[in-house]
Amino acid sequence: MDEILSQEEVNALLKGISEGKVETEKGVPAGDAQVYEFPRVEEGEEGDALPRMEKVAAKVASAVNESLIGLLKRPVEVGSVEVRYESGEECFSRLPDLCSLSLFSMDPLKGSGLLILDAGMIFSLMDLLFGGRGTAKVERKTKEFTPIEMKVVQKLACTILEDLEGVWKELFPVKVRLLRSESDPSDVPFASPGEKVVTVEAVHAVGDLHYRYQVCFPLKLFDPVREKLGGVSASGGAEGEWREKIRELVMTIPVEVTCLLGRSTVTVLEGLRMKEGDILPLDTSPQGNLSLLASGVEKFEGFLGSFQGRYAVKIVRAITP
């Protein structure tokens, strides 16, 4: 207890330090201090993962591989496919000195993706297309492509994006559209430095030649389809999981579908006088369409026929409420 200073002693000590009467410890020499930058930890990193993205990326790479075979008329193999979760700054820090940056949209998803084609890949493909071995080296003083090279860029970008759209339609109906191609990163409004992105990098091998390209997506682009990619929904994992289970249960409920041949109105007296052999005219013609009802609600129109020895109705039009 004797080691605890009283308030008067504390005040006297502080006064002595401020007046220089009390000697304090000297600071650590500047040369001995090391600056340590703590790594940036962002919230929600575990929830950012999209487990099924690897499978989608592999399918896209396989489709692109088939397109390259058709384009080059020679064997092509998929070397590797990698999916990375990184910031926009990290994505752009890996850009080669000269490359093609093709911005594209994926309607109805909001936002834009980025296709990155290395200049070496473009020059090599041009050499192959013009009968060379794909080993031609091009020295370039400016960070721009020639008009002929841009034609190859456009062709290659459209091919990859068509394959991307084809694979994505199996998961979610999208329309991929090339917006424009640039070679200067400052001209591409893709993602801010701190924004989270998903980068898919694929390598294709043509003999000893290796072609590498990257497709980058802002992570928020996939918010509407996060559950389809195996990720946690923005509204919470448990809620999204239960919503999907309820949806699956609803989809298995049996619904009775009825084909309405026609309608007729009679009086009570006429109904009582009906007997076997009477003809009851209906309000439909033999060549007219019939109504299909789902649980009593009119949903479709079709015409009567037969299929595999049984009566059947071919749907010709959906009825919107």
Side-chain angles (χ1 to χ4, degrees):
M1 296 295 292
D2 295 339
E3 296 180 358
I4 300 177
L5 300 178
S6 66
Q7 186 61 47
E8 293 180 358
E9 291 172 326
V10 171
N11 293 338
L13 178 61
L14 293 175
K15 182 179 179 181
I17 293 174
S18 62
E19 294 177 354
K21 296 179 180 180
V22 178
E23 185 177 354
T24 59
E25 293 183 3
K26 296 181 179 180
V28 180
D32 296 339
Q34 295 182 355
V35 177
Y36 180 78
E37 183 177 351
F38 290 92
R40 181 178 58 186
V41 179
E42 299 180 356
E43 295 183 0
E45 289 184 350
E46 292 184 0
D48 292 340
L50 304 172
R52 295 176 191 161
M53 180 61 79
E54 284 80 2
K55 185 176 181 180
V56 174
K59 283 188 174 182
V60 173
S62 179
V64 172
N65 201 74
E66 293 300 317
S67 296
L68 289 176
I69 292 174
L71 180 66
L72 301 176
K73 309 300 181 185
R74 62 185 67 200
V76 184
E77 295 181 355
V78 179
S80 63
V81 181
E82 179 187 2
V83 177
R84 296 191 301 268
Y85 299 88
E86 55 191 359
S87 66
E89 182 180 10
E90 291 169 329
C91 176
F92 275 85
S93 67
R94 294 189 179 91
L95 293 179
D97 292 336
L98 179 59
C99 61
S100 166
L101 306 170
S102 297
L103 207 63
F104 63 91
S105 62
M106 294 180 66
D107 297 333
L109 301 180
K110 295 182 179 180
S112 302
L114 185 67
L115 172 63
I116 304 172
L117 301 175
D118 189 289
M121 176 182 183
I122 297 168
F123 298 151
S124 180
L125 285 175
M126 284 189 62
D127 191 35
L128 288 175
L129 291 172
F130 286 101
R133 297 182 178 180
T135 56
K137 294 184 179 180
V138 179
E139 298 293 336
R140 189 61 51 84
K141 295 182 179 180
T142 61
K143 293 185 177 182
E144 294 182 357
F145 293 102
T146 65
I148 295 179
E149 291 165 351
M150 283 304 300
K151 290 286 186 182
V152 176
V153 168
Q154 295 283 336
K155 172 65 176 176
L156 189 56
C158 288
T159 298
I160 294 175
L161 295 181
E162 285 176 7
D163 293 330
L164 178 72
E165 178 182 297
V167 172
W168 266 92
K169 280 186 175 179
E170 300 176 8
L171 184 71
F172 184 78
V174 296
K175 179 62 178 177
V176 179
R177 184 166 59 93
L178 177 63
L179 301 178
R180 69 175 190 267
S181 296
E182 303 285 350
S183 57
D184 188 349
S186 61
D187 294 334
V188 180
F190 170 61
S192 59
E195 187 174 351
K196 299 176 184 178
V197 302
V198 184
T199 300
V200 178
E201 182 174 303
V203 178
H204 297 263
V206 183
D208 295 332
L209 303 174
H210 292 83
Y211 299 136
R212 185 188 312 272
Y213 64 87
Q214 300 176 60
V215 187
C216 306
F217 308 91
L219 191 60
K220 63 184 180 182
L221 179 78
F222 299 121
D223 283 349
V225 294
R226 180 173 290 275
E227 292 179 32
K228 293 182 180 292
L229 292 169
V232 179
S233 68
S235 59
E239 181 181 344
E241 184 178 347
W242 276 108
R243 187 188 300 114
E244 185 63 25
K245 288 182 178 180
I246 293 174
R247 181 180 179 277
E248 291 177 359
L249 289 174
V250 170
M251 291 301 174
T252 60
I253 297 175
V255 177
E256 184 181 69
V257 178
T258 306
C259 177
L260 183 64
L261 294 178
R263 294 183 176 89
S264 183
T265 303
V266 297
T267 64
V268 174
L269 181 60
E270 290 172 335
L272 293 173
R273 290 179 177 177
M274 281 185 182
K275 61 183 182 299
E276 184 178 347
D278 287 350
I279 296 176
L280 183 66
L282 302 177
D283 60 353
T284 54
S285 65
Q287 292 78 28
N289 290 336
L290 304 177
S291 296
L292 283 174
L293 290 76
S295 294
V297 180
E298 196 171 17
K299 299 294 292 183
F300 303 97
E301 285 186 358
F303 60 86
L304 189 64
S306 62
F307 180 73
Q308 295 182 350
R310 305 182 67 176
Y311 284 115
V313 178
K314 184 174 183 178
I315 297 174
V316 295
R317 186 176 74 89
I319 299 175
T320 55

